[in-house]
Amino acid sequence: MAKIKKKGQSGQAKNYITRTQAVKKLQISLPDFRKLCIWKGIYPREPRSRKKVSKSATASTTFYYTKDIQYLQHEPLLQKFREQKVLEKKISRALGRGDVSDAARLERNAGRPDQTGKPRYTLHHVIRERYPTFIDAIRDLDDCLSMLFLFANLPSTTSVPAKMIARCERLCHEFQHYLITSHSLRKSFLSIKGIYYQANIQGEDVLWLVPYKFNQRVVGDIDFRIMGTFVEFYMTLLGFVNYRLYSSIGLKYPPKFDQTKDDKGAELAALTLEGVNLATNEETTKAITNGEGHGPDPKVQAEVDKLVKKLRTESAADKADEEMADGEEEEEEKATDAIDKFEPAAPGGDVLPQPTYSGNDPSKLFANCTLFLSRETPRQSLEFILRAFGCKRIGWDPILGEGSFTTDESDPSITHQIVDRPIVQAATTEQGDGEDNQTAQKLGPNQRYPGRIYVQPQWVWDCINDEELKSPELYAPGASLPPHLSPFVKPTQGQYDPTVPLEEQETEGEALDAAIEDAKDEVESDEENSEIDNDMDVADDNDNDEEEDSDAEEDEEVEDEEDEEEDEEEVLQRQRELEAEISGKAVKSKQVDPKLKAKLEKKKALERKKKEEAEDLERAKGMLSKKKRKLFEQMQYTNKKKSTEDMKLRSKRRKLEKEKAAGKA
């Protein structure tokens, strides 16, 4: 007879465990259980059937894998949590006895782990377990950097201590220094949420978000205990990553930190990078020659010399043959020196990025520039980007902090100045002469130095995204800036692109509708002009008449006659329509502009063609199975929705361009 199975010992009931059961099994508090799960990467799981797992389960019951909880039972951090619990009991017991000095001693020892030699806990082993290789850690840096940059900009409160903020800020600055030294930063984008950055670290793209430097308001509906647990883990992770990155480029970690400079707002300049003391080539050769050893055998050395001589003669002959062949190939390739272009094979195919001659190094984009940042510009983000792309000389107003190349705005070596204010005027003397005496010239507010390029901050972001210095005229103070597009979105076929002219991306139907509207507007404007001319002629005639009473009577008679003529025209038009209905012929209408008529006929032909294509498509859909037809309809719905949005954007742009052209006229 087979053994009878008991309930809850096999299947889904055995594979899952509730949170309450897990806390009891591990013998820790709920906050410690949350911490442990976050650090170890264990998350709640949803079973297929809650009833099979537990009959008493409700909608709010949280389940975990039983194997995950068994894995946590061997975690060394459990012992640390238990020791912390014992310490808290000792302190509460001492306070209960009234022994305040003993309780203070216990708390003081617990708060000084460096002196007592008993640290509370470390997450080093957790980092090594979760990220077996360095590439795994880099792939998980996105959330880590976003969280740490967020906490680095928060104000200190009871839930967010100042030590945590300072630690986050220092780790972020260390990471930024690596990006500046290795020139790993690739792209950046200004959005409503903040500034997005993308860097390429050892072949992996890392994207993170940095908030703007505004005064943050900490609200009470956010659980900072949970976020603080993540931050504690991420601080340890970024410390490991920074150490590995600094070691890979031959720098000491951690870099030297100057507290006085940091207190004065130096930020990146508060850290000083140092190289690792490696032995030079001369020292290594001396160490090798000074070592014990013996000379080679003379017979063997003679044979080796013969072989080397033979190989040299053969290589010289081969090199001569290769030079002859290369000369012939170069003559053939001179005629075909153009770059190949990847053109789509089908009309609706994807447009591939075209190769170009690029001799510029993005890491030296701003190497020849000396920039000055006005006090209204975002200094932290601009300094980081400019240094990452080769700029060595960056100055700013002394109110923005220390660490600048110069704080003198009148420095003649400055080539570019970044401003974010209205149009500035060139400084002139009392006689009205604009002398280019930059050293002796004293500027008032809202004025500029001659011979210096003034641009808005968007110029820097567009330059690094396009990997070229953009024309500064487009970004002059007060100018209407070009669209700032996300460099992380790849353009697709048929999608609206603000940088492309409207005529190149609008459909045939949209172009016809726009042309018809323009033609109608021209006809209406011509009619209005003719009416205005007639009114002016009538007014001139009335002014020339001397007898006012007789003129008024004549005007009334003319108006009555016009009304009668209009009524007669309406009656005749109705009569024509009735005759056309009886005879089945077309109604004789007024004269229409031939250009407008041709466009209307073209639009009708286009609509007829679209209708035929829709009918063909419906017939083809009938041949599909039900599953494939539903999938095809979903695709059609999504494409139609996207095309409608693009059409709205194009119509909005067309309207703006019309208004702009009318304003210029």
Side-chain angles (χ1 to χ4, degrees), residues 310-330:
K310 186 179 180 182
L311 289 171
R312 282 177 180 173
T313 53
E314 290 178 357
S315 62
D318 294 339
K319 192 180 284 187
D321 295 338
E322 287 177 1
E323 287 177 357
M324 292 287 291
D326 291 340
E328 294 175 358
E329 288 178 0
E330 285 177 1

Side-chain angles (χ1 to χ4, degrees), residues 74 98 189 259 297 387 467 514 586 631 663:
H74 306 285
F189 175 61
Q259 186 63 48
D297 189 3
R387 291 195 188 282
E467 296 183 357
L631 182 63

